[in-house]
Coordinates of all heavy atoms in Angstrom, one line a residue:
M1145 N -5.7 -17.6 0.7 CA -4.7 -16.5 0.7 C -5.6 -15.2 0.5 O -6.4 -15.1 -0.4 CB -3.8 -16.7 -0.5 CG -2.9 -15.5 -0.8 SD -1.2 -15.8 -1.1 CE -0.6 -16.4 0.4
T1146 N -5.3 -14.2 1.4 CA -6.1 -13.0 1.3 C -5.2 -11.9 0.7 O -4.0 -12.0 0.7 CB -6.5 -12.6 2.8 OG1 -5.4 -12.3 3.5 CG2 -7.4 -13.6 3.4
A1147 N -5.9 -10.9 0.3 CA -5.2 -9.7 -0.4 C -5.7 -8.4 0.3 O -6.8 -8.4 0.8 CB -5.4 -9.7 -1.8
R1148 N -4.8 -7.4 0.2 CA -5.2 -6.1 0.7 C -5.4 -5.2 -0.5 O -4.5 -5.2 -1.4 CB -4.1 -5.5 1.6 CG -3.9 -6.3 2.9 CD -2.9 -5.6 3.7 NE -1.6 -5.8 3.1 CZ -0.5 -6.4 3.7 NH1 -0.7 -6.8 5.0 NH2 0.6 -6.5 3.1
I1149 N -6.4 -4.4 -0.5 CA -6.6 -3.4 -1.6 C -6.6 -2.0 -0.9 O -7.3 -1.8 0.0 CB -7.9 -3.6 -2.3 CG1 -7.9 -4.9 -3.0 CG2 -8.2 -2.5 -3.3 CD1 -9.2 -5.3 -3.7
Y1150 N -5.7 -1.2 -1.3 CA -5.5 0.2 -0.7 C -5.0 1.2 -1.8 O -4.6 0.8 -2.8 CB -4.6 0.1 0.5 CG -3.1 -0.3 0.1 CD1 -2.2 0.6 -0.2 CD2 -2.8 -1.6 0.1 CE1 -0.9 0.3 -0.6 CE2 -1.5 -2.0 -0.3 CZ -0.6 -1.1 -0.6 OH 0.7 -1.4 -0.9
Q1151 N -5.2 2.4 -1.4 CA -4.8 3.5 -2.3 C -3.4 4.0 -1.8 O -3.1 4.1 -0.6 CB -5.7 4.7 -2.2 CG -5.5 5.7 -3.3 CD -6.6 6.7 -3.4 OE1 -7.3 6.9 -2.4 NE2 -6.7 7.4 -4.5
I1152 N -2.5 4.2 -2.8 CA -1.1 4.7 -2.5 C -1.2 6.0 -1.8 O -1.9 6.9 -2.2 CB -0.3 4.7 -3.7 CG1 -0.2 3.4 -4.4 CG2 1.1 5.3 -3.4 CD1 0.5 3.4 -5.7
Q1153 N -0.4 6.2 -0.7 CA -0.4 7.4 0.1 C 0.8 8.2 -0.4 O 1.8 7.7 -0.8 CB -0.3 7.1 1.6 CG -1.5 6.5 2.2 CD -2.7 7.4 2.2 OE1 -2.6 8.6 2.6 NE2 -3.8 7.0 1.6
K1154 N 0.8 9.5 -0.2 CA 1.9 10.4 -0.6 C 3.0 10.2 0.5 O 2.7 10.2 1.7 CB 1.4 11.8 -0.5 CG 2.4 12.8 -1.0 CD 1.8 14.2 -1.1 CE 1.8 14.9 0.2 NZ 3.0 15.5 0.6
N1155 N 4.2 10.1 0.0 CA 5.4 10.0 0.8 C 5.6 11.3 1.6 O 5.3 12.4 1.0 CB 6.6 9.6 0.0 CG 7.8 9.2 0.7 OD1 7.9 9.6 1.9 ND2 8.7 8.5 0.1
A1156 N 6.2 11.2 2.7 CA 6.4 12.5 3.5 C 7.5 13.3 2.8 O 7.5 14.5 3.0 CB 6.9 12.1 4.9
L1157 N 8.4 12.7 2.0 CA 9.4 13.5 1.3 C 9.0 13.9 -0.1 O 9.7 14.5 -0.8 CB 10.7 12.6 1.2 CG 11.2 12.1 2.5 CD1 12.4 11.2 2.2 CD2 11.7 13.3 3.4
Q1158 N 7.7 13.7 -0.4 CA 7.2 14.0 -1.7 C 6.3 15.2 -1.6 O 5.4 15.3 -0.8 CB 6.4 12.7 -2.2 CG 5.7 12.8 -3.5 CD 5.0 11.5 -3.8 OE1 5.0 10.6 -3.0 NE2 4.3 11.5 -4.9
S1159 N 6.5 16.2 -2.5 CA 5.7 17.4 -2.5 C 4.5 17.3 -3.4 O 3.5 17.9 -3.1 CB 6.6 18.6 -2.9 OG 7.1 18.4 -4.2
G1160 N 4.6 16.5 -4.5 CA 3.5 16.4 -5.4 C 2.6 15.2 -5.1 O 2.8 14.5 -4.1
K1161 N 1.6 15.1 -5.9 CA 0.6 14.0 -5.6 C 0.6 13.0 -6.8 O -0.4 12.3 -7.0 CB -0.8 14.6 -5.5 CG -1.0 15.5 -4.3 CD -2.4 16.0 -4.2 CE -2.5 16.9 -3.0 NZ -3.8 17.4 -2.9
A1162 N 1.8 12.8 -7.4 CA 1.9 11.8 -8.5 C 1.7 10.4 -7.9 O 2.2 10.0 -6.9 CB 3.3 11.9 -9.1
L1163 N 1.0 9.6 -8.7 CA 0.7 8.2 -8.4 C -0.1 7.9 -7.2 O -0.3 6.8 -6.8 CB 2.0 7.4 -8.3 CG 3.0 7.4 -9.5 CD1 4.2 6.6 -9.2 CD2 2.3 6.9 -10.7
T1164 N -0.7 9.0 -6.6 CA -1.5 8.8 -5.4 C -2.9 8.4 -5.7 O -3.7 8.1 -4.9 CB -1.5 10.0 -4.5 OG1 -2.0 11.2 -5.2 CG2 -0.1 10.3 -3.9
H1165 N -3.3 8.5 -7.0 CA -4.6 8.1 -7.5 C -4.8 6.6 -7.7 O -5.9 6.1 -7.9 CB -5.0 8.9 -8.7 CG -4.1 8.6 -9.9 ND1 -2.9 9.2 -10.0 CD2 -4.2 7.8 -10.9 CE1 -2.3 8.7 -11.1 NE2 -3.1 7.9 -11.7
K1166 N -3.7 5.9 -7.7 CA -3.7 4.5 -8.1 C -4.1 3.6 -6.8 O -3.8 4.0 -5.7 CB -2.3 4.0 -8.6 CG -2.0 4.6 -9.9 CD -0.8 3.9 -10.5 CE -0.6 4.4 -11.9 NZ 0.3 3.6 -12.6
W1167 N -4.7 2.5 -7.1 CA -5.0 1.5 -6.1 C -4.2 0.3 -6.3 O -3.8 -0.1 -7.4 CB -6.5 1.1 -6.2 CG -7.4 2.2 -5.8 CD1 -7.8 3.4 -6.4 CD2 -8.0 2.4 -4.5 NE1 -8.6 4.1 -5.7 CE2 -8.7 3.6 -4.5 CE3 -8.0 1.6 -3.3 CZ2 -9.5 4.0 -3.4 CZ3 -8.7 2.0 -2.2 CH2 -9.5 3.2 -2.3
V1168 N -3.8 -0.4 -5.2 CA -2.9 -1.5 -5.2 C -3.5 -2.7 -4.6 O -4.2 -2.6 -3.6 CB -1.6 -1.1 -4.4 CG1 -0.7 -2.3 -4.3 CG2 -0.9 0.0 -5.1
L1169 N -3.3 -3.9 -5.2 CA -3.7 -5.1 -4.6 C -2.4 -5.9 -4.3 O -1.6 -6.1 -5.2 CB -4.6 -5.9 -5.6 CG -5.1 -7.3 -5.1 CD1 -6.5 -7.5 -5.6 CD2 -4.2 -8.4 -5.5
E1170 N -2.2 -6.2 -3.1 CA -1.1 -7.0 -2.7 C -1.5 -8.1 -1.7 O -2.4 -7.9 -0.9 CB 0.1 -6.2 -2.1 CG -0.1 -5.6 -0.8 CD 1.1 -4.8 -0.3 OE1 2.0 -4.6 -1.0 OE2 1.0 -4.4 0.9
Y1171 N -0.8 -9.2 -1.8 CA -1.2 -10.4 -1.0 C -0.6 -10.2 0.4 O 0.5 -9.7 0.6 CB -0.7 -11.6 -1.6 CG -1.4 -12.0 -2.8 CD1 -0.9 -11.7 -4.1 CD2 -2.6 -12.8 -2.8 CE1 -1.6 -12.0 -5.2 CE2 -3.2 -13.1 -3.9 CZ -2.8 -12.8 -5.1 OH -3.4 -13.1 -6.3
A1172 N -1.4 -10.7 1.4 CA -0.9 -10.7 2.8 C 0.1 -11.8 2.9 O 0.0 -12.9 2.3 CB -2.1 -10.9 3.8
P1173 N 1.1 -11.7 3.8 CA 2.1 -12.8 3.9 C 1.4 -14.0 4.5 O 0.7 -14.0 5.4 CB 3.1 -12.2 4.9 CG 2.7 -10.9 5.3 CD 1.4 -10.5 4.6
A1174 N 1.7 -15.2 3.8 CA 1.2 -16.5 4.2 C 2.0 -17.1 5.3 O 1.5 -17.9 6.1 CB 1.0 -17.4 3.0
E1175 N 3.3 -16.8 5.3 CA 4.2 -17.4 6.3 C 5.2 -16.3 6.8 O 5.5 -15.4 6.0 CB 4.9 -18.6 5.8 CG 5.8 -18.4 4.6 CD 6.5 -19.6 4.0 OE1 5.7 -20.6 3.7 OE2 7.7 -19.6 4.0
A1176 N 5.7 -16.5 7.9 CA 6.7 -15.6 8.5 C 8.0 -15.7 7.8 O 8.4 -16.7 7.3 CB 6.9 -15.8 10.0
K1177 N 8.7 -14.5 7.7 CA 10.1 -14.6 7.1 C 11.1 -15.1 8.2 O 10.9 -14.9 9.4 CB 10.5 -13.2 6.7 CG 9.7 -12.7 5.5 CD 10.2 -11.4 5.0 CE 9.5 -10.9 3.8 NZ 10.0 -9.7 3.2
K1178 N 12.1 -15.8 7.7 CA 13.1 -16.3 8.6 C 14.5 -16.0 8.0 O 14.6 -15.8 6.8 CB 12.9 -17.8 8.8 CG 12.8 -18.6 7.5 CD 12.4 -20.1 7.8 CE 12.2 -20.8 6.5 NZ 10.8 -21.0 6.2
A1179 N 15.4 -15.8 8.9 CA 16.8 -15.4 8.5 C 17.5 -16.6 7.8 O 17.4 -17.7 8.3 CB 17.6 -15.0 9.7
D1180 N 18.2 -16.3 6.7 CA 19.0 -17.3 6.0 C 20.3 -17.5 6.9 O 20.9 -16.6 7.2 CB 19.3 -16.8 4.6 CG 20.2 -17.9 3.9 OD1 20.1 -19.0 4.2 OD2 20.8 -17.4 2.9
P1181 N 20.6 -18.8 7.2 CA 21.8 -19.0 8.1 C 23.1 -18.6 7.4 O 24.0 -18.2 8.1 CB 21.8 -20.5 8.4 CG 20.8 -21.1 7.4 CD 19.9 -20.0 6.9
L1182 N 23.2 -18.6 6.1 CA 24.5 -18.2 5.5 C 24.6 -16.7 5.3 O 25.7 -16.2 5.7 CB 24.5 -18.9 4.1 CG 25.8 -18.7 3.3 CD1 27.0 -19.3 4.1 CD2 25.7 -19.4 1.9
T1183 N 23.6 -16.1 4.8 CA 23.7 -14.6 4.5 C 23.1 -13.7 5.6 O 23.5 -12.6 5.7 CB 23.1 -14.3 3.2 OG1 21.7 -14.6 3.3 CG2 23.7 -15.1 2.0
G1184 N 22.2 -14.3 6.3 CA 21.5 -13.5 7.3 C 20.3 -12.7 6.8 O 19.7 -11.9 7.5
W1185 N 20.1 -12.8 5.5 CA 18.9 -12.1 4.9 C 17.6 -12.7 5.2 O 17.6 -13.9 5.4 CB 19.1 -12.1 3.3 CG 20.2 -11.2 2.8 CD1 21.2 -10.6 3.6 CD2 20.6 -11.0 1.5 NE1 22.1 -10.0 2.8 CE2 21.7 -10.2 1.5 CE3 20.0 -11.5 0.3 CZ2 22.3 -9.8 0.3 CZ3 20.7 -11.1 -0.9 CH2 21.8 -10.2 -0.9
A1186 N 16.6 -11.9 5.3 CA 15.3 -12.5 5.7 C 14.6 -12.9 4.4 O 14.6 -12.2 3.4 CB 14.4 -11.4 6.4
G1187 N 13.9 -14.1 4.4 CA 13.2 -14.6 3.3 C 12.2 -15.6 3.7 O 12.1 -16.1 4.8
S1188 N 11.4 -16.0 2.7 CA 10.4 -17.0 2.9 C 10.1 -17.7 1.6 O 10.5 -17.3 0.5 CB 9.1 -16.5 3.5 OG 8.4 -15.7 2.6
G1189 N 9.3 -18.8 1.6 CA 9.0 -19.5 0.4 C 7.7 -19.0 -0.2 O 7.2 -19.5 -1.2
D1190 N 7.1 -17.9 0.3 CA 5.9 -17.4 -0.2 C 6.2 -16.4 -1.3 O 6.7 -15.3 -1.1 CB 5.2 -16.6 1.0 CG 3.8 -16.0 0.5 OD1 3.3 -16.5 -0.5 OD2 3.4 -15.1 1.2
T1191 N 5.9 -16.9 -2.6 CA 6.2 -16.1 -3.7 C 5.1 -15.1 -4.1 O 5.4 -14.1 -4.8 CB 6.5 -17.0 -5.0 OG1 5.3 -17.8 -5.2 CG2 7.7 -17.8 -4.8
K1192 N 3.9 -15.3 -3.6 CA 2.8 -14.3 -3.9 C 3.0 -13.0 -3.2 O 2.5 -12.0 -3.5 CB 1.5 -14.9 -3.5 CG 1.0 -16.0 -4.4 CD -0.4 -16.2 -4.3 CE -0.8 -17.1 -5.4 NZ -2.2 -17.0 -5.8
Q1193 N 3.9 -13.0 -2.2 CA 4.2 -11.8 -1.4 C 5.0 -10.8 -2.3 O 5.0 -9.6 -2.0 CB 5.0 -12.1 -0.2 CG 5.0 -11.1 0.9 CD 5.7 -11.6 2.1 OE1 6.1 -12.8 2.2 NE2 5.7 -10.8 3.2
Q1194 N 5.5 -11.2 -3.4 CA 6.3 -10.4 -4.2 C 5.4 -9.6 -5.3 O 5.9 -8.7 -5.9 CB 7.4 -11.2 -5.0 CG 8.3 -11.9 -4.1 CD 9.2 -12.9 -4.8 OE1 9.2 -13.0 -6.0 NE2 10.1 -13.5 -4.1
L1195 N 4.2 -10.1 -5.4 CA 3.3 -9.5 -6.4 C 2.6 -8.2 -5.8 O 2.2 -8.1 -4.7 CB 2.1 -10.4 -6.7 CG 2.5 -11.6 -7.6 CD1 1.3 -12.5 -7.7 CD2 3.0 -11.2 -8.9
K1196 N 2.6 -7.2 -6.6 CA 1.9 -5.9 -6.3 C 1.3 -5.4 -7.6 O 1.9 -4.9 -8.5 CB 2.9 -4.9 -5.7 CG 2.2 -3.7 -5.1 CD 3.3 -2.7 -4.6 CE 3.6 -3.0 -3.2 NZ 4.3 -1.8 -2.6
L1197 N -0.1 -5.6 -7.7 CA -0.8 -5.2 -8.9 C -1.4 -3.8 -8.7 O -2.0 -3.5 -7.6 CB -1.9 -6.2 -9.2 CG -1.4 -7.6 -9.3 CD1 -2.7 -8.5 -9.5 CD2 -0.6 -7.8 -10.5
S1198 N -1.3 -2.9 -9.6 CA -1.9 -1.6 -9.5 C -3.0 -1.4 -10.5 O -3.0 -2.0 -11.6 CB -0.8 -0.5 -9.8 OG -0.3 -0.6 -11.1
F1199 N -4.0 -0.7 -10.0 CA -5.3 -0.5 -10.8 C -5.6 1.0 -10.8 O -5.2 1.8 -9.9 CB -6.4 -1.3 -10.1 CG -6.2 -2.7 -10.2 CD1 -5.6 -3.4 -9.1 CD2 -6.6 -3.5 -11.2 CE1 -5.4 -4.7 -9.1 CE2 -6.4 -4.9 -11.3 CZ -5.8 -5.5 -10.2
S1200 N -6.4 1.4 -11.8 CA -6.8 2.8 -11.9 C -7.9 3.2 -10.9 O -8.0 4.4 -10.5 CB -7.3 3.1 -13.3 OG -8.4 2.3 -13.6
S1201 N -8.6 2.3 -10.4 CA -9.7 2.6 -9.4 C -9.9 1.4 -8.5 O -9.5 0.3 -8.7 CB -11.0 2.9 -10.2 OG -11.5 1.7 -10.8
Q1202 N -10.6 1.7 -7.4 CA -11.0 0.7 -6.4 C -11.9 -0.3 -7.0 O -11.7 -1.5 -6.7 CB -11.6 1.4 -5.2 CG -12.0 0.4 -4.1 CD -12.8 1.0 -3.0 OE1 -12.9 2.2 -2.9 NE2 -13.2 0.2 -2.0
D1203 N -12.8 0.1 -7.8 CA -13.8 -0.8 -8.4 C -13.1 -1.8 -9.3 O -13.4 -3.0 -9.4 CB -14.8 -0.1 -9.2 CG -15.7 0.8 -8.3 OD1 -15.8 0.5 -7.1 OD2 -16.2 1.8 -8.8
A1204 N -12.0 -1.4 -10.0 CA -11.3 -2.3 -10.9 C -10.5 -3.3 -10.1 O -10.5 -4.5 -10.5 CB -10.3 -1.5 -11.8
A1205 N -10.0 -2.9 -9.0 CA -9.2 -3.8 -8.1 C -10.2 -4.9 -7.5 O -9.8 -6.1 -7.4 CB -8.5 -3.1 -7.0
V1206 N -11.3 -4.4 -7.0 CA -12.3 -5.3 -6.4 C -12.8 -6.3 -7.5 O -13.0 -7.5 -7.2 CB -13.4 -4.5 -5.8 CG1 -14.6 -5.4 -5.4 CG2 -12.9 -3.8 -4.5
A1207 N -13.1 -5.8 -8.7 CA -13.6 -6.7 -9.8 C -12.6 -7.7 -10.1 O -12.9 -8.9 -10.3 CB -13.9 -5.8 -11.0
Y1208 N -11.3 -7.4 -10.1 CA -10.2 -8.4 -10.4 C -10.2 -9.4 -9.3 O -10.1 -10.6 -9.6 CB -8.9 -7.7 -10.5 CG -7.7 -8.6 -10.7 CD1 -7.4 -9.2 -11.9 CD2 -7.0 -9.0 -9.6 CE1 -6.4 -10.1 -12.0 CE2 -5.9 -9.9 -9.7 CZ -5.6 -10.5 -10.9 OH -4.6 -11.4 -11.0
A1209 N -10.3 -9.0 -8.0 CA -10.2 -9.9 -6.9 C -11.4 -10.9 -7.0 O -11.2 -12.1 -6.7 CB -10.1 -9.2 -5.6
E1210 N -12.6 -10.4 -7.3 CA -13.8 -11.2 -7.3 C -13.7 -12.2 -8.5 O -14.1 -13.3 -8.5 CB -15.0 -10.4 -7.4 CG -15.3 -9.7 -6.0 CD -16.5 -8.8 -6.1 OE1 -17.0 -8.5 -7.2 OE2 -16.9 -8.3 -5.0
R1211 N -13.2 -11.7 -9.7 CA -13.1 -12.5 -10.9 C -12.1 -13.7 -10.7 O -12.4 -14.8 -11.1 CB -12.7 -11.7 -12.1 CG -12.7 -12.5 -13.3 CD -12.3 -11.6 -14.5 NE -10.9 -11.3 -14.5 CZ -10.4 -10.0 -14.5 NH1 -11.2 -9.0 -14.6 NH2 -9.1 -9.8 -14.5
E1212 N -11.0 -13.4 -9.9 CA -10.0 -14.4 -9.7 C -10.3 -15.2 -8.4 O -9.4 -16.0 -8.0 CB -8.6 -13.8 -9.6 CG -8.2 -13.1 -10.9 CD -8.1 -14.1 -12.1 OE1 -7.6 -15.2 -11.8 OE2 -8.4 -13.7 -13.2
K1213 N -11.4 -14.9 -7.7 CA -11.8 -15.6 -6.5 C -10.7 -15.5 -5.4 O -10.3 -16.4 -4.8 CB -12.1 -17.1 -6.8 CG -13.3 -17.3 -7.7 CD -13.6 -18.7 -8.0 CE -14.8 -18.9 -8.8 NZ -14.7 -18.4 -10.2
I1214 N -10.3 -14.2 -5.2 CA -9.3 -13.9 -4.2 C -10.0 -13.2 -3.0 O -10.8 -12.3 -3.2 CB -8.2 -13.0 -4.7 CG1 -7.5 -13.6 -5.9 CG2 -7.2 -12.6 -3.6 CD1 -6.6 -12.6 -6.7
A1215 N -9.8 -13.7 -1.8 CA -10.4 -13.1 -0.6 C -9.7 -11.8 -0.4 O -8.4 -11.7 -0.5 CB -10.3 -14.0 0.6
Y1216 N -10.4 -10.7 -0.2 CA -9.7 -9.4 -0.1 C -10.3 -8.5 1.0 O -11.4 -8.8 1.5 CB -9.9 -8.6 -1.5 CG -11.3 -8.3 -1.8 CD1 -11.9 -7.1 -1.4 CD2 -12.1 -9.2 -2.6 CE1 -13.2 -6.8 -1.8 CE2 -13.4 -8.9 -2.9 CZ -13.9 -7.6 -2.5 OH -15.2 -7.3 -2.8
T1217 N -9.5 -7.6 1.4 CA -9.9 -6.6 2.4 C -9.6 -5.2 1.8 O -8.5 -5.0 1.4 CB -9.2 -6.7 3.7 OG1 -9.4 -8.1 4.2 CG2 -9.6 -5.7 4.7
V1218 N -10.6 -4.3 1.7 CA -10.3 -3.0 1.3 C -10.0 -2.1 2.5 O -10.7 -2.0 3.4 CB -11.6 -2.4 0.5 CG1 -11.4 -1.0 0.1 CG2 -11.9 -3.3 -0.7
I1219 N -8.8 -1.5 2.4 CA -8.4 -0.6 3.4 C -8.7 0.9 3.0 O -8.2 1.4 2.0 CB -6.9 -0.7 3.7 CG1 -6.6 -2.2 4.1 CG2 -6.4 0.3 4.7 CD1 -5.1 -2.5 4.2
A1220 N -9.6 1.5 3.7 CA -10.0 2.9 3.4 C -8.9 3.9 3.5 O -8.0 3.7 4.4 CB -11.2 3.3 4.3
T1221 N -8.9 4.9 2.7 CA -7.9 5.9 2.7 C -8.2 6.8 3.9 O -9.4 7.3 4.0 CB -7.9 6.7 1.4 OG1 -7.7 5.8 0.4 CG2 -6.8 7.7 1.4
P1222 N -7.3 7.1 4.8 CA -7.6 8.0 5.9 C -7.8 9.4 5.4 O -7.1 9.8 4.5 CB -6.4 7.9 6.8 CG -5.3 7.4 6.0 CD -5.9 6.6 4.9
P1223 N -8.6 10.2 6.1 CA -8.8 11.6 5.7 C -7.5 12.4 5.9 O -6.8 12.2 6.8 CB -9.9 12.1 6.6 CG -9.9 11.2 7.8 CD -9.4 9.9 7.3
K1224 N -7.3 13.3 5.0 CA -6.1 14.2 5.1 C -6.4 15.3 6.0 O -7.4 16.0 5.9 CB -5.7 14.7 3.7 CG -5.4 13.6 2.8 CD -5.1 14.1 1.4 CE -4.7 12.9 0.5 NZ -5.1 13.1 -0.9
T1225 N -5.5 15.5 7.0 CA -5.6 16.6 7.9 C -4.4 17.5 7.7 O -3.3 17.1 7.6 CB -5.6 16.1 9.4 OG1 -4.4 15.4 9.6 CG2 -6.8 15.2 9.6
L1226 N -4.7 18.8 7.6 CA -3.6 19.8 7.5 C -3.4 20.6 8.8 O -4.4 21.0 9.4 CB -4.0 20.8 6.3 CG -4.1 20.2 4.9 CD1 -4.6 21.3 4.0 CD2 -2.8 19.7 4.5
K1227 N -2.2 20.8 9.1 CA -1.9 21.6 10.3 C -1.5 23.0 9.8 O -0.3 23.1 9.3 CB -0.8 20.9 11.1 CG -0.4 21.7 12.3 CD 0.7 20.9 13.1 CE 1.1 21.7 14.3 NZ 2.3 21.2 14.9
I1228 N -2.4 23.9 9.8 CA -2.1 25.3 9.3 C -1.3 26.0 10.4 O -1.7 26.0 11.6 CB -3.4 26.0 9.1 CG1 -4.3 25.3 8.1 CG2 -3.1 27.4 8.5 CD1 -3.7 25.0 6.8
Q1229 N -0.1 26.5 10.0 CA 0.8 27.1 10.9 C 1.5 28.2 10.3 O 1.9 28.1 9.1 CB 1.8 26.0 11.4 CG 2.8 26.5 12.4 CD 3.7 25.4 12.9 OE1 3.3 24.2 12.8 NE2 4.8 25.7 13.4
A1230 N 1.6 29.3 11.0 CA 2.4 30.5 10.5 C 3.8 30.3 10.8 O 4.2 29.6 11.7 CB 1.8 31.8 11.1
Y1231 N 4.7 31.0 10.0 CA 6.1 31.0 10.3 C 6.5 31.5 11.7 O 7.4 31.0 12.3 CB 6.9 31.8 9.2 CG 8.3 31.8 9.4 CD1 9.1 30.6 9.2 CD2 9.0 32.9 9.7 CE1 10.5 30.6 9.3 CE2 10.4 33.0 9.9 CZ 11.1 31.8 9.7 OH 12.5 31.8 9.8
A1232 N 5.7 32.5 12.1 CA 6.0 33.1 13.5 C 5.7 32.1 14.6 O 6.3 32.2 15.7 CB 5.1 34.3 13.6
D1233 N 4.9 31.1 14.4 CA 4.6 30.1 15.4 C 5.9 29.2 15.7 O 5.9 28.6 16.8 CB 3.5 29.1 15.0 CG 2.2 29.9 14.9 OD1 2.0 30.9 15.5 OD2 1.3 29.4 14.2
N1234 N 6.9 29.2 14.9 CA 8.1 28.5 15.2 C 8.9 29.1 16.3 O 9.7 28.4 16.9 CB 9.0 28.4 14.0 CG 8.4 27.5 12.9 OD1 7.6 26.7 13.1 ND2 8.7 27.8 11.6
F1235 N 8.6 30.4 16.6 CA 9.4 31.1 17.6 C 8.7 31.4 18.9 O 9.1 32.2 19.7 CB 10.0 32.4 17.0 CG 10.8 32.1 15.7 CD1 10.2 32.3 14.5 CD2 12.0 31.6 15.8 CE1 10.9 32.1 13.3 CE2 12.8 31.4 14.7 CZ 12.2 31.6 13.4
R1236 N 7.5 30.7 19.1 CA 6.8 30.9 20.3 C 7.3 30.1 21.5 O 7.8 29.1 21.4 CB 5.3 30.6 20.1 CG 4.7 31.7 19.3 CD 3.2 31.4 19.2 NE 2.7 32.5 18.4 CZ 1.4 32.6 18.0 NH1 0.5 31.8 18.5 NH2 1.0 33.6 17.3

């Protein structure tokens, strides 16, 4: 079972940078979800998919994964790009 380690990104509807410094370890899905015939809800028997562990740094998350012998992949945080635009540019 493999895990992904990544840093939380800022939501598009969020103006502040709260909780964006945390790193998350979550397991990759081991099996595909299937629809329940009675309710129609999607689900699977994979319970590790429900776990989401948060850490203060990338090193702490990697150290945990190595200590527990979990195969992991670190997903790098993409660089932030700002689109500088003046209010007058909306009317061009």
Side-chain angles (χ1 to χ4, degrees):
M1145 170 136 292
T1146 61
R1148 296 182 289 237
I1149 298 175
Y1150 61 92
Q1151 191 172 21
I1152 297 175
Q1153 293 293 311
K1154 185 173 83 79
N1155 189 339
L1157 302 175
Q1158 180 180 358
S1159 61
K1161 295 183 180 179
L1163 303 178
T1164 58
H1165 62 280
K1166 292 194 175 193
W1167 287 81
V1168 175
L1169 181 141
E1170 72 177 7
Y1171 289 94
E1175 61 183 55
K1177 291 186 177 185
K1178 51 189 173 257
D1180 182 22
L1182 183 61
T1183 62
W1185 292 2
S1188 70
D1190 183 20
T1191 57
K1192 287 200 175 204
Q1193 199 172 1
Q1194 300 170 4
L1195 288 176
K1196 190 181 267 193
L1197 303 174
S1198 60
F1199 297 92
S1200 59
S1201 67
Q1202 177 184 357
D1203 296 333
V1206 168
Y1208 174 81
E1210 289 177 351
R1211 184 178 71 234
E1212 297 297 323
K1213 296 179 178 64
I1214 301 169
Y1216 64 91
T1217 303
V1218 177
I1219 300 172
T1221 306
K1224 296 177 182 151
T1225 58
L1226 296 175
K1227 181 179 176 187
I1228 307 298
Q1229 182 175 337
Y1231 179 70
D1233 292 340
N1234 292 335
F1235 303 102
R1236 288 189 181 178

